[in-house]
Each structure stands twice: as structure tokens, then as C-alpha cells.
Amino acid sequence: MQKSSSSSTLGPGGLDLAQAFFKPIQQTAPPSPTKRHTKISVIGAGNVGMAIAQTILTQDLADELALVDAKPDKLRGEMLDLQHAAAFLPRTRILAANDYAVTTGSDLCIVTAGARQNPGESRLSLLQRNLALFRSIVPPLAKYSPDAFLLIVSNPVDVLTYVAWKLSGFPSNRVIGSGTNLDSSRFRFLIADHLDVNAQDVQAYIVGEHGDSSVALWSSISVGGVPILSFLERQEIAYEKETLEKIHKEVVQSAYEVISLKGYTSWAIGYSVANLARSILRDQRRIHPVSVLAKGFYGISGGDVFLSLPAQLGRSGVLGVTNVHLTEEEGQRLRDSAKTILEVQNQLGL
Amino acid sequence: MQKSSSSSTLGPGGLDLTQAFFKQIQQTAPPSPTKRHTKISVIGAGNVGMAIAQTILTQDLVDVLALVDAKPDKLRGEMLDLQHAAAFLPRTRILADTDYAVTAGSDLCIVTAGARQNPGESRLSLLQRNLALFRSIVPPLAKYSPDAILLIVSNPVDVLTYVAWKLSGFPPNRVIGSGTNLDSSRFRFLIADHLDVNAQDVQAYIVGEHGDSSVALWSSISVGGVPILSFLERQEIAYEKETLEKIHKEVVQSAYEVISLKGYTSWAIGYSVANLSRSILRDQRRIHPVSVLAKGFYGISGGDAFLSLPAQLGRSGVLGVTNVHLTEEEGQKLRDSAKTILEVQSELGI
């Protein structure tokens, strides 16, 4: 096992304890090639990338974690800060380099690199800044880990997941975007907080664009198995469609709210992506609203568009999209969301 | 259970689902007063405070987490960013306020508030900036949680732990500084990386001041039960005392290195403090090098100095200091470390 260059001797004085510290037993053979060595690479050591990396580390999801960033000092500092916690964590190899060779043999590559969303800036306006960046990121990742999954987090995530799919040449089941996994978590938090229940008992999906044209699937929301809209009708609790739209708007706004308050978001997206990583790497076969190739679903046509649908995730990536029933209106909004994304995508010339 | 103010209705449109959502069973009584409701308050929502808060949350150590900071926007943003992860975490109540009343009834109060150590700045030079701050932090904490354990992280941690002890009026077993718990982890990482072993098999303490005059207890280092210095002698591997001192220096420098590379440290101290929190709240009775009232140990006298010694921690705080054997030289270095701290402390007039 390769050591970091400073550790072949202990400290600058060159004390070498390793000789004779361990003695092998008789008749050993080289290690069997058991593929249980999980490696995750995180591209981008900013607030989002590091929150993801640290959560993955705390949740013990990988044997090896590689970090890549353009800024070598920041990168090295972040690597050391994680390594220094060695006494408090299960042993995980943590590597960092500007060179993509460090990502070789990854099971999962998570791309967070990109400009930070400015207060008030819509996700779509980030696109130009991030496209050029992806041309330098995705082809090397694909080259060094031809069997990996790509999980795109950078915004605007739906278009950039399409970009990553094109640039990598990977099959569509191995390229996903974090999409509305987090929006849905925020939605579930709002509902759970109001009802004083555990958010994990709330089934609620926001799908479509991870952005202003996302679609809240009100007709599918249930809490502990109780579908919410039917419940309201049975109890004869009146509600206005406008009220539901305001709640959805609050979810979309909450990301911007966090950005305007603390300058960026990090913790929630960290947990969200670690959660997706676990479902994929541990073959959990759970359903997550993530950005997938949506062409052909719910009448979505007109081009290869990625947007969030409830998708079952496992070790081979996207196993399928659940056959959730959409109302006529929800279906139309989803198709409108797809159109919004395709309009932007078509300007890319990819 | 108190809800956040926005959740009595769902969204700005005032949709109230709670009426009739749950129906109680017959003959219920009010909840029994079982004290299994663990609350931690973190004072300071900067990089260190938030890394600690997030690690505590991920490791599921508490039922209630309260955050306090002077900057209300930053504070609210951080609180929301954690709350939005509700779907991915066990249910934890997360509160935040600039008013210390939010900390009422805490089991553990972790103080990280204070100025950030600038590149090249020694920890002792931060002292003046942090003393005034503690006068506004510690008395309210003590008032709202008179039975809590105080865990001080702000630097210079040894002097500030003494300050917190004085300002709180708490018995010394309930006032601890994070001390050299992290330095020791860095030390163990270096040794483990060199020997290619798990850092948890490395017993190695750095004690004394969390700073330039800390003391590496070389005579007590063992790996898998093998005492290192005896090993070197038995194997007739020559080493110079200077080499050992360089290794220790590398540990002390590594904090400054991370600061100069990424601007601050966060992840490692987050794991370190979460680790201490677990030992205390879960009564783990583990031994940690943390800053405790050291008067009377190893000939330390001349005043009430807090510095790191290997201390057993449990639910009632500091259970005792282990009777580790120090060489004559190590004992002297420890007493010198105490003198350094006392000199600074005596200028405080507390």
C-alpha cells in the first residue's frame, strides 16, 4: 500500500520504525483480489465538495477518498484537516492532487466544481461559467475510471448532467445529477415540522428542474401512508391551489434564503449526496428524485434532457424510474420544465 | 413540543393539516419525565463551531442541538442548512438564537466563539481578544444550564478554560478544554501512517499546553502494546533525541500548516470535539488528553493552571487523571508548560 511521501520515515529527522516492526507469518501469499475496496473521488474542494467528503467520511462509506481541485494549497489544507482526524475515524485513505490520475479506479466520481451561485442569481445563469470547466474535468474522470458512476452536483445540475453524459461517453444509467433530492428533503422537512412527525415518514417528491420550474407532486404526498390531498378532502378542510403553490415556492426560495444568510449552502447538500452515494455503493435500491435521462417518460420528448424523476438507485446506477401517477397538470408542468431545460441546452452546441 | 414559528401553518398560505391528522388512543397520560433528552449547545457558528455541530448531528449524539452566535443572519442560515437535511438524519431538534435562553437545559455547552488564529499568530496572542468575549458568554451559559459540562475550544484553550471555570463558578470536573486531544490525534496519525497501522492502535499522548510548549510523552507511546522506545533499543535502531523533537515539532506545526493552506482548521477539530462529547454524554469512561485543572499533578504548583493531561471522561465530566509515568525530563517540560500558561494567566486579573 502506497504511503504518502512524508511517511516512509517518521518526521523530518528520518526515523524509520517500520523495519522489523511487524513480522509476516509463514507461507503468506499476495492478497486475493477481492473487490471490496470502495473509492470515491470528489472534484472540487469548496464548501459543497468538502461537506460531501466529510459526511462520506463520517458515515464510513468509502475505503478511499480522493479530492481534486484547481487550487493546490487549499486542496492540501483540506486533505490534511481530514487526515488529522485519523484517531477518531475508521481508517480511510485520503488522497488529494490537482492531477486527475489520483481519481483512478473510482467507483463513484462526484463533481461539485463550479462557480458558487451568487445571491439572487438563478442557476441557469451559472451555465456558461461551468461548461468550459466540465470540458477539463469529465474526460479525464472517464479515462481514469471508465466503469465509475458520475454524480453531478454543480449547478445548473440538469444541464450539466447532460453535459457530463455527453463528454464522458458513459451509458445513461451511470450518469446522474443530485437534482431535486435536496429540494424534496426541504419539502419533507417543511411538512414534517408542521405535523410534528419524522421527515422519514413523509413521502413527498419534487421533480423536474432543480430550479425555479421544479414540480411538486402534491397528488403523491403521503405521511405514514396517508395521502395528504385525499385526507384534506375527507376532512373537508378547504385549501386553495394557490396555497399549495406558495408552499412549493417556499421550498425553492429556501435555497436562496440560505445563500443570502450564510453566503452558500453546504451541510444539507452534503447529507443529500452522501445519501445518494450510500444507495448506489451499498446497492440499497432506494427511490430518490435525481436527475436522469428523462426522454420518453411522461410524454417528455424533443431532445435528450436530464431532469429529476423518482428513480431507483443501486450498484448498477439507475435501475429504473418509478411509475408514479401524475395528474394532467403535474404532467404538463413536467413537460414545461423539460422544455425550459432543453431551450438552454440547445444553446450549448454540444 | 414547541414548533418553529413558521410551522404552525404549512407555508405562507396558512394551510393547517394538523387538525385531525392524528387521533390519540384512549386513556393517555402526559409523558413520563424520563431524562434521556440530550441537549448540546454550540456557541459560535463559525467554521469550527459548525464542523462540530454537523459532526455531532451526523453521529447522532443528541436530541436537541442549539446554536448561538452574534451574527443573526449567518446563524439562521447555518440552522436552516442543517434543518434541510431532515430527510437524511435521525430526527434532531435544531434551534438557533443570539439569545442564550435558547441554551437552557443543556447537558454540554461547547464554546468555540472567538477570533480566528491568523497565519503565524501564536495562540497566546489571541487571549486579549477572547477574554472580553467570554465575560459575555460564560455567565449566561452557567445561568441557563447550571448542571451542564462546559467544553472550551476557543484558543488559547488552556487559559480560556481557566477563565470559563472562574466565570461559571462550576466545579472543575465540569469544565474541560479540548486541549491536546487533537494534537495527539495528529501525532497518532503521523506514527500510524509511517507504520501503516490503524491510528486507533497507536497510544500516544501529547500533553501540557495546546500550543508551542506542549509535551510529547515519548516514553508512553505504544503501538499494539509495543512500547516504541523500548522497541528501538531492543532492535538496536539508533535515534537522536533531536529526531524525536523534530517529529513533535511537526505535529505542532501541522495546525499552522493547515491554517496557512486553507485559512483555518475545521474538520479535525470537529471530529475531536464530537469524540469528547460522546465520551462524556455516553459515559464512555475513555481516556483523553484534555485541558483540566492540573494543580497538584506531577509537581505542578504556583497557581490554578489548566493544561492537558490524560483524563478519564464520563457523564460526570472528569473522573480522574491517569497515573502515567513521566520521565524526569517529561515532568520538567510539563512543569515548564504550566509556568508558561500561569505567566499569561496572571496578567488577566481574574
Side-chain angles (χ1 to χ4, degrees), chain B residues 14-79:
Chain B
L15 182 65
D16 187 5
L17 300 175
T18 58
Q19 32 167 332
F21 199 86
F22 287 106
K23 201 165 156 182
Q24 297 225 316
I25 54 172
Q26 302 272 339
Q27 297 160 19
T28 46
S32 336
T34 57
K35 179 62 178 171
R36 176 60 199 145
H37 182 90
T38 314
K39 178 171 177 175
I40 292 182
S41 292
V42 177
I43 314 306
N47 294 309
V48 171
M50 288 315 300
I52 290 168
Q54 189 260 20
T55 308
I56 280 169
L57 199 63
T58 316
Q59 293 185 348
D60 198 22
L61 290 176
V62 290
D63 301 299
V64 182
L65 179 66
L67 306 173
V68 180
D69 196 273
K71 301 187 205 139
D73 282 359
K74 165 76 163 159
L75 185 63
R76 177 170 168 77
E78 293 290 1
M79 177 192 76

Side-chain angles (χ1 to χ4, degrees), chain A residues 7 58 84 89 185 193-194 200, chain B residues 4 7 84 89 185 200 271:
Chain A
S7 68
T58 315
H84 290 166
L89 288 169
S185 171
D193 193 43
H194 170 64
Q200 283 159 45
Chain B
S4 56
S7 67
H84 289 166
L89 287 168
S185 171
Q200 285 159 45
Y271 286 117

